Short mmCIF file of all heavy atoms in Angstrom, two decimals:
data_model
loop_
_atom_site.label_atom_id
_atom_site.label_comp_id
_atom_site.label_asym_id
_atom_site.label_seq_id
_atom_site.Cartn_x
_atom_site.Cartn_y
_atom_site.Cartn_z
N VAL A 1343 76.37 123.20 113.06
CA VAL A 1343 75.22 123.89 113.54
C VAL A 1343 73.95 123.47 112.89
O VAL A 1343 73.95 122.85 111.82
CB VAL A 1343 75.34 125.45 113.30
CG1 VAL A 1343 76.47 126.03 114.02
CG2 VAL A 1343 75.52 125.70 111.81
N PRO A 1344 72.75 123.69 113.57
CA PRO A 1344 71.54 123.32 112.92
C PRO A 1344 71.25 124.20 111.74
O PRO A 1344 71.73 125.34 111.74
CB PRO A 1344 70.48 123.47 114.03
CG PRO A 1344 71.13 124.26 115.07
CD PRO A 1344 72.58 124.21 114.91
N GLY A 1345 70.53 123.75 110.76
CA GLY A 1345 70.20 124.59 109.56
C GLY A 1345 70.08 123.75 108.36
O GLY A 1345 70.08 122.48 108.44
N ILE A 1346 69.99 124.34 107.17
CA ILE A 1346 69.90 123.57 105.93
C ILE A 1346 71.13 122.69 105.87
O ILE A 1346 72.28 123.20 105.94
CB ILE A 1346 69.89 124.47 104.72
CG1 ILE A 1346 68.75 125.49 104.82
CG2 ILE A 1346 69.84 123.68 103.43
CD1 ILE A 1346 67.52 125.14 104.03
N PRO A 1347 70.94 121.39 105.79
CA PRO A 1347 72.12 120.46 105.91
C PRO A 1347 73.08 120.61 104.78
O PRO A 1347 72.69 120.84 103.57
CB PRO A 1347 71.51 119.04 105.88
CG PRO A 1347 70.03 119.21 105.65
CD PRO A 1347 69.67 120.67 105.62
N GLY A 1348 74.33 120.51 105.11
CA GLY A 1348 75.39 120.64 104.04
C GLY A 1348 76.76 120.41 104.72
O GLY A 1348 76.84 120.48 105.98
N PHE A 1349 77.74 120.21 103.90
CA PHE A 1349 79.08 119.98 104.42
C PHE A 1349 80.02 120.71 103.44
O PHE A 1349 80.11 120.34 102.31
CB PHE A 1349 79.40 118.45 104.38
CG PHE A 1349 80.58 117.97 105.19
CD1 PHE A 1349 80.46 117.07 106.17
CD2 PHE A 1349 81.85 118.54 104.92
CE1 PHE A 1349 81.54 116.65 106.94
CE2 PHE A 1349 82.97 118.11 105.67
CZ PHE A 1349 82.80 117.13 106.62
N SER A 1350 80.67 121.72 103.94
CA SER A 1350 81.65 122.39 103.07
C SER A 1350 82.99 122.57 103.67
O SER A 1350 83.09 122.70 104.90
CB SER A 1350 81.08 123.81 102.65
OG SER A 1350 81.23 124.64 103.78
N LYS A 1363 84.95 115.03 102.46
CA LYS A 1363 83.55 115.07 102.99
C LYS A 1363 82.85 113.73 102.70
O LYS A 1363 82.23 113.20 103.60
CB LYS A 1363 82.82 116.27 102.37
CG LYS A 1363 81.47 116.07 101.79
CD LYS A 1363 80.96 117.33 101.12
CE LYS A 1363 79.74 117.04 100.29
NZ LYS A 1363 79.19 118.24 99.73
N ILE A 1367 81.71 111.32 105.85
CA ILE A 1367 80.36 111.05 106.10
C ILE A 1367 80.00 109.55 105.99
O ILE A 1367 79.33 108.92 106.75
CB ILE A 1367 79.41 111.85 105.17
CG1 ILE A 1367 79.55 113.34 105.51
CG2 ILE A 1367 77.98 111.42 105.30
CD1 ILE A 1367 78.47 114.23 105.03
N LYS A 1371 78.60 107.11 108.94
CA LYS A 1371 77.38 106.32 108.80
C LYS A 1371 77.59 104.89 109.02
O LYS A 1371 76.85 104.22 109.72
CB LYS A 1371 76.74 106.61 107.46
CG LYS A 1371 76.08 107.96 107.39
CD LYS A 1371 75.32 108.09 106.01
CE LYS A 1371 74.56 109.45 106.04
NZ LYS A 1371 74.07 109.78 104.73
N TYR A 1376 77.15 108.73 112.87
CA TYR A 1376 76.71 109.89 112.10
C TYR A 1376 75.75 110.69 112.93
O TYR A 1376 74.79 110.20 113.50
CB TYR A 1376 76.01 109.50 110.82
CG TYR A 1376 75.52 110.57 109.96
CD1 TYR A 1376 76.44 111.49 109.43
CD2 TYR A 1376 74.18 110.69 109.60
CE1 TYR A 1376 75.99 112.52 108.60
CE2 TYR A 1376 73.76 111.72 108.80
CZ TYR A 1376 74.72 112.60 108.24
OH TYR A 1376 74.23 113.65 107.43
N PRO A 1377 76.05 112.02 113.18
CA PRO A 1377 75.24 112.79 114.05
C PRO A 1377 74.00 113.30 113.43
O PRO A 1377 73.25 114.07 114.06
CB PRO A 1377 76.18 113.97 114.37
CG PRO A 1377 77.05 114.12 113.19
CD PRO A 1377 77.23 112.76 112.62
N GLY A 1378 73.61 112.89 112.26
CA GLY A 1378 72.38 113.39 111.64
C GLY A 1378 72.62 114.62 110.86
O GLY A 1378 73.69 115.25 110.97
N PRO A 1379 71.69 114.89 109.90
CA PRO A 1379 71.92 116.01 109.00
C PRO A 1379 72.02 117.35 109.76
O PRO A 1379 71.30 117.66 110.68
CB PRO A 1379 70.68 116.05 108.14
CG PRO A 1379 69.74 115.16 108.74
CD PRO A 1379 70.45 114.25 109.62
N MET A 1380 73.09 118.10 109.42
CA MET A 1380 73.28 119.45 109.94
C MET A 1380 74.21 120.22 109.05
O MET A 1380 74.74 119.66 108.09
CB MET A 1380 73.77 119.39 111.42
CG MET A 1380 75.11 118.71 111.59
SD MET A 1380 75.59 118.79 113.29
CE MET A 1380 74.71 117.47 114.00
N LYS A 1381 74.39 121.43 109.35
CA LYS A 1381 75.30 122.31 108.56
C LYS A 1381 76.69 122.23 109.13
O LYS A 1381 76.95 122.75 110.24
CB LYS A 1381 74.73 123.74 108.55
CG LYS A 1381 75.46 124.65 107.64
CD LYS A 1381 74.68 125.96 107.49
CE LYS A 1381 75.53 127.16 107.30
NZ LYS A 1381 76.20 127.21 106.01
N ILE A 1382 77.61 121.64 108.40
CA ILE A 1382 78.99 121.48 108.89
C ILE A 1382 79.90 122.28 107.98
O ILE A 1382 79.90 122.17 106.80
CB ILE A 1382 79.41 120.02 108.85
CG1 ILE A 1382 78.55 119.17 109.82
CG2 ILE A 1382 80.87 119.89 109.29
CD1 ILE A 1382 78.87 117.72 109.84
N THR A 1383 80.67 123.12 108.58
CA THR A 1383 81.64 123.95 107.88
C THR A 1383 83.04 123.59 108.43
O THR A 1383 83.29 123.62 109.61
CB THR A 1383 81.41 125.43 108.02
OG1 THR A 1383 80.07 125.73 107.80
CG2 THR A 1383 82.31 126.20 107.11
N LYS B 604 63.41 116.54 116.65
CA LYS B 604 64.00 117.87 116.67
C LYS B 604 64.11 118.48 115.29
O LYS B 604 64.52 119.60 115.08
CB LYS B 604 65.35 117.83 117.39
CG LYS B 604 66.45 117.14 116.59
CD LYS B 604 67.77 117.23 117.33
CE LYS B 604 68.89 116.53 116.50
NZ LYS B 604 70.16 116.44 117.18
N TYR B 605 63.77 117.65 114.26
CA TYR B 605 63.96 118.09 112.85
C TYR B 605 62.68 118.69 112.29
O TYR B 605 61.59 118.19 112.45
CB TYR B 605 64.38 116.89 112.01
CG TYR B 605 65.83 116.54 112.16
CD1 TYR B 605 66.21 115.54 113.08
CD2 TYR B 605 66.83 117.20 111.47
CE1 TYR B 605 67.48 115.17 113.26
CE2 TYR B 605 68.18 116.83 111.66
CZ TYR B 605 68.50 115.84 112.52
OH TYR B 605 69.80 115.52 112.72
N PHE B 608 61.26 118.93 105.41
CA PHE B 608 60.65 119.35 104.15
C PHE B 608 60.54 118.10 103.24
O PHE B 608 61.52 117.47 102.91
CB PHE B 608 61.49 120.40 103.40
CG PHE B 608 61.65 121.67 104.16
CD1 PHE B 608 62.70 121.93 104.97
CD2 PHE B 608 60.61 122.63 104.15
CE1 PHE B 608 62.76 123.11 105.68
CE2 PHE B 608 60.68 123.82 104.79
CZ PHE B 608 61.76 124.07 105.64
N ILE B 634 65.43 123.40 97.93
CA ILE B 634 66.22 124.08 98.97
C ILE B 634 65.97 125.56 99.01
O ILE B 634 65.84 126.19 100.09
CB ILE B 634 67.70 123.82 98.74
CG1 ILE B 634 68.00 122.33 98.93
CG2 ILE B 634 68.60 124.61 99.67
CD1 ILE B 634 69.42 121.94 98.66
N ALA B 637 62.77 126.13 100.70
CA ALA B 637 62.96 125.91 102.18
C ALA B 637 63.54 127.13 102.82
O ALA B 637 63.10 127.56 103.87
CB ALA B 637 63.82 124.68 102.42
N ARG B 638 64.56 127.68 102.20
CA ARG B 638 65.18 128.90 102.74
C ARG B 638 64.16 130.03 102.88
O ARG B 638 64.13 130.76 103.85
CB ARG B 638 66.31 129.37 101.82
CG ARG B 638 67.58 128.53 101.94
CD ARG B 638 68.76 129.37 101.32
NE ARG B 638 69.65 128.48 100.69
CZ ARG B 638 70.65 127.74 101.31
NH1 ARG B 638 70.80 127.85 102.57
NH2 ARG B 638 71.44 126.96 100.64
N LEU B 641 61.98 129.42 105.80
CA LEU B 641 62.62 129.67 107.05
C LEU B 641 62.74 131.20 107.31
O LEU B 641 62.50 131.70 108.35
CB LEU B 641 64.04 129.06 107.08
CG LEU B 641 64.13 127.56 106.99
CD1 LEU B 641 65.59 127.10 106.80
CD2 LEU B 641 63.50 126.89 108.24
N ALA B 648 68.35 128.66 113.88
CA ALA B 648 68.88 127.58 114.71
C ALA B 648 67.96 126.42 114.87
O ALA B 648 67.63 125.93 115.98
CB ALA B 648 69.21 128.21 116.16
N GLN B 649 67.44 125.95 113.77
CA GLN B 649 66.52 124.78 113.73
C GLN B 649 67.12 123.69 112.91
O GLN B 649 67.63 123.90 111.80
CB GLN B 649 65.18 125.27 113.07
CG GLN B 649 64.27 124.16 112.70
CD GLN B 649 63.75 123.40 113.92
OE1 GLN B 649 63.21 123.97 114.87
NE2 GLN B 649 63.99 122.05 113.91
N PHE B 650 67.08 122.47 113.46
CA PHE B 650 67.60 121.35 112.66
C PHE B 650 66.63 121.09 111.53
O PHE B 650 65.47 121.03 111.67
CB PHE B 650 67.69 120.11 113.58
CG PHE B 650 68.91 120.09 114.46
CD1 PHE B 650 68.81 120.62 115.71
CD2 PHE B 650 70.15 119.67 113.98
CE1 PHE B 650 69.94 120.63 116.57
CE2 PHE B 650 71.25 119.66 114.80
CZ PHE B 650 71.15 120.19 116.12
N ILE B 651 67.20 120.93 110.38
CA ILE B 651 66.44 120.80 109.06
C ILE B 651 66.78 119.47 108.44
O ILE B 651 67.96 119.02 108.56
CB ILE B 651 66.79 121.92 108.13
CG1 ILE B 651 66.78 123.29 108.78
CG2 ILE B 651 65.95 121.82 106.87
CD1 ILE B 651 65.41 123.90 108.89
N ARG B 652 65.78 118.91 107.79
CA ARG B 652 66.04 117.68 107.00
C ARG B 652 65.23 117.64 105.76
O ARG B 652 64.12 118.21 105.72
CB ARG B 652 65.77 116.45 107.89
CG ARG B 652 66.47 115.18 107.41
CD ARG B 652 66.21 114.06 108.33
NE ARG B 652 64.85 113.59 108.32
CZ ARG B 652 64.15 113.12 109.35
NH1 ARG B 652 64.69 113.18 110.53
NH2 ARG B 652 62.90 112.74 109.20
N PHE B 653 65.67 117.05 104.69
CA PHE B 653 64.93 116.93 103.52
C PHE B 653 64.60 115.43 103.25
O PHE B 653 65.58 114.61 103.15
CB PHE B 653 65.68 117.45 102.25
CG PHE B 653 65.89 118.96 102.33
CD1 PHE B 653 67.08 119.44 102.82
CD2 PHE B 653 64.95 119.76 101.92
CE1 PHE B 653 67.30 120.81 102.88
CE2 PHE B 653 65.12 121.20 101.97
CZ PHE B 653 66.27 121.70 102.49
N ASP B 669 66.67 112.30 104.98
CA ASP B 669 67.99 112.92 104.63
C ASP B 669 68.37 112.58 103.17
O ASP B 669 69.46 112.19 102.90
CB ASP B 669 69.04 112.45 105.61
CG ASP B 669 70.33 113.38 105.59
OD1 ASP B 669 70.27 114.44 105.05
OD2 ASP B 669 71.35 112.88 106.02
N PHE B 671 68.74 114.43 100.49
CA PHE B 671 69.83 115.23 99.90
C PHE B 671 70.15 116.36 100.82
O PHE B 671 69.37 116.74 101.76
CB PHE B 671 69.33 115.80 98.49
CG PHE B 671 68.04 116.52 98.52
CD1 PHE B 671 67.97 117.81 98.94
CD2 PHE B 671 66.87 115.83 98.15
CE1 PHE B 671 66.69 118.48 98.97
CE2 PHE B 671 65.65 116.48 98.14
CZ PHE B 671 65.54 117.85 98.57
N GLN B 672 71.36 116.91 100.51
CA GLN B 672 71.82 118.10 101.30
C GLN B 672 72.15 119.19 100.35
O GLN B 672 72.21 118.95 99.15
CB GLN B 672 72.99 117.67 102.16
CG GLN B 672 72.67 116.54 103.15
CD GLN B 672 73.65 116.49 104.29
OE1 GLN B 672 74.67 117.16 104.30
NE2 GLN B 672 73.32 115.67 105.29
N SER B 673 72.46 120.35 100.93
CA SER B 673 72.85 121.46 100.04
C SER B 673 74.31 121.30 99.67
O SER B 673 75.10 120.85 100.48
CB SER B 673 72.61 122.73 100.87
OG SER B 673 73.21 123.83 100.21
N VAL B 674 74.58 121.62 98.46
CA VAL B 674 75.95 121.60 98.03
C VAL B 674 76.44 123.05 97.80
O VAL B 674 76.15 123.64 96.80
CB VAL B 674 76.14 120.83 96.67
CG1 VAL B 674 77.59 120.82 96.24
CG2 VAL B 674 75.60 119.44 96.83
N PHE B 675 77.08 123.60 98.77
CA PHE B 675 77.47 125.02 98.57
C PHE B 675 78.95 125.18 98.63
O PHE B 675 79.72 124.38 99.05
CB PHE B 675 76.80 125.92 99.62
CG PHE B 675 76.76 125.39 100.99
CD1 PHE B 675 77.86 125.49 101.86
CD2 PHE B 675 75.63 124.73 101.44
CE1 PHE B 675 77.77 124.96 103.15
CE2 PHE B 675 75.59 124.28 102.75
CZ PHE B 675 76.65 124.37 103.58
#
Side-chain angles (χ1 to χ4, degrees):
Chain A
V1343 295
I1346 303 261
F1349 194 123
S1350 75
K1363 132 183 168 180
I1367 295 199
K1371 284 187 176 166
Y1376 182 59
M1380 59 177 83
K1381 184 169 149 69
I1382 298 179
T1383 310
Chain B
K604 71 179 182 187
Y605 284 94
F608 297 95
I634 293 177
R638 284 197 215 277
L641 297 173
Q649 165 67 53
F650 281 94
I651 311 277
R652 200 175 72 215
F653 294 96
D669 193 18
F671 53 82
Q672 301 199 349
S673 170
V674 179
F675 42 82

